[in-house]
Amino acid sequence: LGLPLRPMPISDEWFEWPSLVDLFPVSFPGVHTGRDRFLLNTLQDPLRTRVADYFDPDISNDAISRMYPAAMRNSTAFAERDARKVRNSLLARGGPIESGFVRDTYRPFDVRWLYWENDRRLLTAPSPSYWQHLIPGNLWLSSAQHLRKGADEPQACVSRLAASFHLIERGAAMFPLYLRDDQFGDEVDGIKRTANLSELARAYVESMDAAPEDLFHHVLATLHDSAYREANAGGLRMGWPRIPLPDDPADLAQSAARGHRLARLLDTESDVADLLTDHTQIAVDTTIDGNPMQPDDFNVTAGWGHFGANQAVMPGQGKLERCGDVVDVYLNDRAYWRDVPIEVWEYRLGGYQVLKKWLSYRESKVLGRALTVGEVNWFSEVARRIASNLELFR
């Protein structure tokens, strides 16, 4: 249009800082099933049922196609395009792999059950070498090589579980804190591991008299710092994030402490009750008459999500009522979560408006059932985790 392009800011030190891959040299792509509607479920039992049906030789391919269309979808994205050939081959092999039923961080704060196999005929990108490093006590940091145009929210999430290829909206690279190393690693709880650090990172950690966890948590805190992202918006568009390393051990310790608290809040497996005590009045589930929720109240019918093309889940407008700086978020015409701060409701992580995205997948017509009590409580907890997260960077 003949208008000058507005340059994105970038700090003078940007190219002097090491990039994320300069610090943590090993990463893996997240799990891309290509058949999410079949291989993932919010509950384990329905997933086991459908996988058992798939491996039942008494059920024909035509019947499976009717029962689970996603399981029999042909696509060039898979190593074998013909889904019938894939099923016939797996049936000849035998039943499902019991260890393949694992928990998966599908989206921020949204954990599903996944059936995984190291077979590119069933999954688009199973990331086979990834799985050996999913060891107890390990932490994983997600990041993208560059931000999407117009994105300014944090692009880093944390998980102890397997994670989706689309965890942060675009292809997620997962950086582990530790790598399993049965030959040279140090043994911890019966498993040998070594820190996923470059020589540069190891030297820096030693010079600061710090631990690998300190650097990991400093990086996480940096990527969630709005001042850092604003000052380096241009650089973050160009490639992997570059990370300033404090010269003072006290500064590193302070940043690492903030990152450790943040990691607990982002990690769905962490008990964070002690961090949420000031936010117990956020997202309280209730009803319009103030009475306890009844069975019908657990159905999400407020229009938060629907199926679009190719059965992709699309967000809807839903129902909100605003009062000052808070909103009430409705499950349906009767039940709602009250007093969700606007900044919590609008919080975005890696391309997703977290609470709205979670709800879009829980609309009754999408989920196929009502919410459980645990899921209603989880929405409240996520809202409180986000509120605590936001406090860290004020």
Side-chain angles (χ1 to χ4, degrees):
L1 298 177
L3 299 176
L5 295 176
R6 183 170 65 89
M8 300 299 294
I10 181 171
S11 62
D12 293 338
E13 301 89 350
W14 176 261
F15 292 104
E16 299 175 7
W17 298 334
S19 73
L20 192 60
V21 294
D22 291 331
L23 298 174
F24 306 121
V26 179
S27 66
F28 303 90
V31 179
H32 188 194
T33 73
R35 294 187 170 105
D36 285 6
R37 294 276 296 160
F38 176 66
L39 294 170
L40 284 151
N41 199 286
T42 54
L43 298 177
Q44 182 178 187
D45 286 347
L47 177 63
R48 284 184 173 273
T49 296
R50 68 171 67 146
V51 172
D53 289 342
Y54 180 86
F55 281 94
D56 186 343
D58 294 330
I59 302 177
S60 69
N61 285 332
D62 288 339
I64 291 294
S65 294
R66 292 190 297 271
M67 295 162 67
Y68 311 114
M72 303 301 286
R73 181 172 65 87
N74 294 331
S75 173
T76 55
F78 298 97
E80 169 57 64
R81 176 175 182 171
D82 190 331
R84 290 174 177 258
K85 287 183 179 180
V86 173
R87 182 170 184 251
N88 292 339
S89 174
L90 292 176
L91 285 174
R93 184 201 68 190
I97 298 172
E98 178 59 30
S99 61
F101 294 96
V102 297
R103 297 175 72 226
D104 173 70
T105 306
Y106 187 66
R107 299 290 184 267
F109 297 107
D110 188 349
V111 174
R112 313 279 181 99
W113 281 94
L114 163 72
Y115 178 67
W116 174 88
E117 284 206 13
N118 183 15
D119 192 323
R120 282 206 65 234
R121 298 173 303 168
L122 189 61
L123 284 79
T124 301
S127 303
S129 56
Y130 177 14
W131 295 86
Q132 65 179 306
H133 305 294
L134 288 167
I135 54 180
N138 209 1
L139 272 178
W140 296 77
L141 173 74
S142 68
S143 186
Q145 189 166 1
H146 49 76
L147 299 187
R148 295 170 297 107
K149 183 178 181 180
D152 59 4
E153 66 270 11
Q155 298 290 312
C157 196
V158 167
S159 178
R160 296 181 187 274
L161 308 172
S164 168
F165 183 73
H166 295 292
L167 173 60
I168 52 171
E169 198 265 345
R170 62 189 306 136
M174 303 301 300
F175 292 83
L177 173 56
Y178 291 105
L179 297 168
R180 183 166 189 154
D181 185 348
D182 293 332
Q183 185 173 6
F184 300 110
D186 297 322
E187 186 167 322
V188 177
D189 296 330
I191 296 176
K192 290 187 175 183
R193 67 185 194 184
T194 186
N196 178 28
L197 299 179
S198 66
E199 290 302 317
L200 181 154
R202 289 181 188 278
Y204 174 74
V205 166
E206 291 176 3
S207 71
M208 293 288 106
D209 194 23
E213 291 87 345
D214 296 324
L215 178 59
F216 183 93
H217 289 117
H218 163 67
V219 170
L220 176 64
T222 299
L223 295 176
H224 275 256
D225 191 320
S226 58
Y228 161 84
R229 296 197 311 277
E230 183 177 353
N232 296 288
L236 290 167
R237 295 267 187 88
M238 293 188 297
W240 290 109
R242 291 179 173 269
I243 308 299
L245 299 179
D247 294 327
D248 189 331
D251 292 338
L252 175 62
Q254 183 179 29
S255 178
R258 184 164 67 164
H260 182 266
R261 186 181 180 101
L262 174 59
R264 288 182 61 197
L265 292 168
L266 294 174
D267 173 23
T268 60
E269 308 308 289
S270 292
D271 181 353
V272 294
D274 59 312
L275 303 181
L276 307 183
T277 54
D278 294 336
H279 300 298
T280 56
Q281 298 307 305
I282 289 177
V284 176
D285 56 277
T286 188
T287 59
I288 58 175
D289 55 17
N291 291 324
M293 292 176 65
Q294 300 301 311
D296 287 346
D297 296 329
F298 289 87
N299 285 293
V300 179
T301 58
W304 290 113
H306 62 275
F307 287 119
N310 298 319
Q311 292 292 289
V313 176
M314 307 300 293
Q317 187 171 351
K319 181 180 178 181
L320 292 177
E321 288 188 358
R322 180 167 181 170
C323 181
D325 294 332
V326 300
V327 293
D328 294 334
V329 182
Y330 280 76
L331 292 82
N332 46 61
D333 289 338
R334 179 178 144 78
Y336 63 97
W337 293 278
R338 73 164 191 260
D339 297 338
V340 179
I342 288 290
E343 64 176 351
V344 170
W345 171 250
E346 294 181 345
Y347 175 78
R348 302 181 69 87
L349 178 57
Y352 302 113
Q353 186 177 338
V354 172
L355 292 176
K356 187 176 182 180
K357 188 68 174 178
W358 188 91
L359 275 173
S360 72
Y361 287 114
R362 269 74 185 177
E363 185 77 17
S364 290
K365 290 182 179 179
V366 173
L367 190 61
R369 60 175 176 82
L371 297 184
T372 65
V373 173
E375 288 169 329
V376 170
N377 292 337
W378 178 244
F379 181 95
S380 300
E381 181 172 324
V382 172
R384 295 164 191 172
R385 284 176 180 244
I386 291 171
S388 297
N389 176 337
L390 292 170
E391 283 185 347
L392 285 172
F393 296 95
R394 287 200 173 100

